[in-house]
Amino acid sequence: MDGLLAALIFEQGGDLEKAHADIPLKNTNGLWHGSAAFFEKIDTEKKGFVANLHAGHDLDLDLVLKNKSGNVHRAIGLTRRRDYGAVFNSYRMYTANEITWYATGHREQIQSLLSEVEFIGKRRASGFGQVANLVIEDSDNDGVVGLFGEPLRPVPLEMFSGDKSSLRADAAWRPAYWHPMNRTVCYVPAQ
Amino acid sequence: MNTFEFFNQHFGRHLVSQEGEPYFAAYRALSSNHKLVKGTESRLASGWAIVRPSISSVQLKLAATGLRFDERTRIEAFMEEFEKWDGIEPRMFLMFDKAPIPLENLFLTVDRRLVRICSPAGVETFDINKAPTEESGGIQKAIWKRK
């Protein structure tokens, strides 16, 4: 939930620091009180996407490793298709009727951020993860530990007060979740 | 201890200098050439490694004194490690290929119910005790077949 809200704040202002600091959720020692996404998958399949990277637009050659004479290893053309870098990415796609998150935070601000959302997820720009409806309800779950002591989100070992027999994994516990430096050994949800 | 500190302490430091941030040192270990026993140099471009808090094992014959050379196949090595492992001390299961393993694919394994095999192509995650499904990856299927 915190990752989704941070992404929405970032889309509004383009300020990464602000996006990670202004999430309208309760925060305890850096841990946001927002759960992972819980859903019941009714179907799953693999989806592949091919992107042809136009070197002139998509690559900053200053960032590419150079050979001994100071040039890039292979001349990158800008006109012919064979000079483009074709990248194939495959994703596991789950079909679900609804997704549930648990959180403790500022209800109105969360509602305001989420009300404009039409698509969520990694391939939202390609039409996947369409949001049909949004409902916010009261809950006894705080977004960190469930009613039976189970973790509702990745929680670092030393910060977890729930059931210590829960699943453990090396996982990111704060946004940006894709960044490996935000990983540590955590108790994680079983889903 | 985070992923990169563990990797460097028990594997990377035997191959490259540890200057700078831990993730840079891990990147150098995975992408640089290393001296082999036969005298030539090679990247970690084939075989496998298991990183442990005690001595780590690697299939490539590296001229590194702190690592143990192990000629078993990756399936044999991973399978036997799963059988011996107490499930408490962290492990890293690595499979090398032509491209270096990207840093985002490096994960510790800290639970027998959520094992992670790291490779350049991605991360295979599974429960050691569960039978593979159609969606499962190749390592889980191969290990289960041998049980």
Side-chain angles (χ1 to χ4, degrees), chain B residues 19-85:
Chain B
E19 291 157 21
E21 292 293 329
Y23 54 92
F24 278 128
Y27 173 77
R28 284 198 302 273
L30 291 168
S31 58
S32 310
N33 276 333
H34 308 297
K35 203 157 191 186
L36 302 178
V37 171
K38 63 182 178 181
T40 56
E41 290 195 339
S42 171
R43 274 197 313 101
L44 294 164
S46 64
W48 55 266
I50 298 173
V51 185
R52 308 181 188 90
S54 56
I55 195 162
S56 299
S57 302
V58 61
Q59 196 190 34
L60 195 65
K61 275 190 172 172
L62 295 165
T65 49
L67 300 172
R68 183 191 297 146
F69 164 66
D70 190 328
E71 60 186 349
R72 288 175 297 172
T73 67
R74 60 191 180 177
I75 301 298
E76 288 166 354
F78 292 165
M79 192 174 166
E80 286 167 26
E81 190 72 14
F82 295 155
E83 284 166 8
K84 285 189 298 188
W85 180 39

Side-chain angles (χ1 to χ4, degrees), chain A residues 13-187:
Chain A
D15 184 339
L16 192 63
E17 297 291 322
K18 185 174 156 48
H20 287 160
D22 289 357
I23 301 168
L25 294 175
K26 184 180 171 186
N27 185 300
T28 307
N29 299 324
L31 183 75
W32 294 102
H33 288 229
S35 79
F38 293 92
F39 56 89
E40 196 174 324
K41 60 185 176 198
I42 51 179
D43 191 23
T44 176
E45 66 177 279
K46 259 190 169 177
K47 282 274 175 197
F49 294 87
V50 177
N52 277 295
L53 299 177
H54 193 311
H57 295 165
D58 301 314
L59 283 178
D60 180 352
L61 295 185
D62 289 341
L63 302 175
V64 176
L65 191 66
K66 308 290 191 304
N67 59 21
K68 283 176 185 165
S69 55
N71 300 312
V72 287
H73 286 266
R74 183 179 181 279
I76 297 175
L78 299 176
T79 50
R80 291 170 299 188
R81 187 178 174 85
R82 72 178 188 216
D83 290 328
Y84 288 34
V87 178
F88 180 79
N89 289 308
S90 65
Y91 299 80
R92 174 66 57 192
M93 185 184 83
Y94 299 114
T95 306
N97 282 328
E98 64 176 40
I99 302 177
T100 303
W101 286 274
Y102 302 96
T104 305
H106 196 291
R107 188 175 185 139
E108 285 73 31
Q109 286 180 26
I110 293 168
Q111 188 148 24
S112 163
L113 278 168
L114 293 176
S115 61
E116 303 294 321
V117 177
E118 293 185 54
F119 296 89
I120 58 169
K122 272 191 181 171
R123 296 304 309 203
R124 60 189 179 279
S126 308
F128 292 85
Q130 187 165 19
V131 179
N133 190 24
L134 172 78
V135 179
I136 297 183
E137 295 170 337
D138 291 330
S139 167
D140 291 331
N141 281 316
D142 67 352
V144 177
V145 181
L147 298 178
F148 301 102
E150 75 281 17
L152 297 176
R153 54 156 300 130
V155 184
L157 299 188
E158 63 279 8
M159 299 171 85
F160 186 65
S161 57
D163 177 5
K164 299 285 169 66
S165 68
S166 303
L167 204 57
R168 289 173 300 128
D170 185 14
W173 62 282
R174 59 187 174 193
Y177 284 97
W178 57 267
H179 201 301
M181 283 309 288
N182 290 330
R183 280 197 218 135
T184 191
V185 178
C186 295
Y187 286 101

Side-chain angles (χ1 to χ4, degrees), chain B residues 109-123:
Chain B
T109 291
V110 289
D111 196 314
R112 297 176 66 84
R113 297 165 293 176
L114 212 149
V115 168
R116 287 182 143 157
I117 312 287
C118 315
S119 74
V123 182

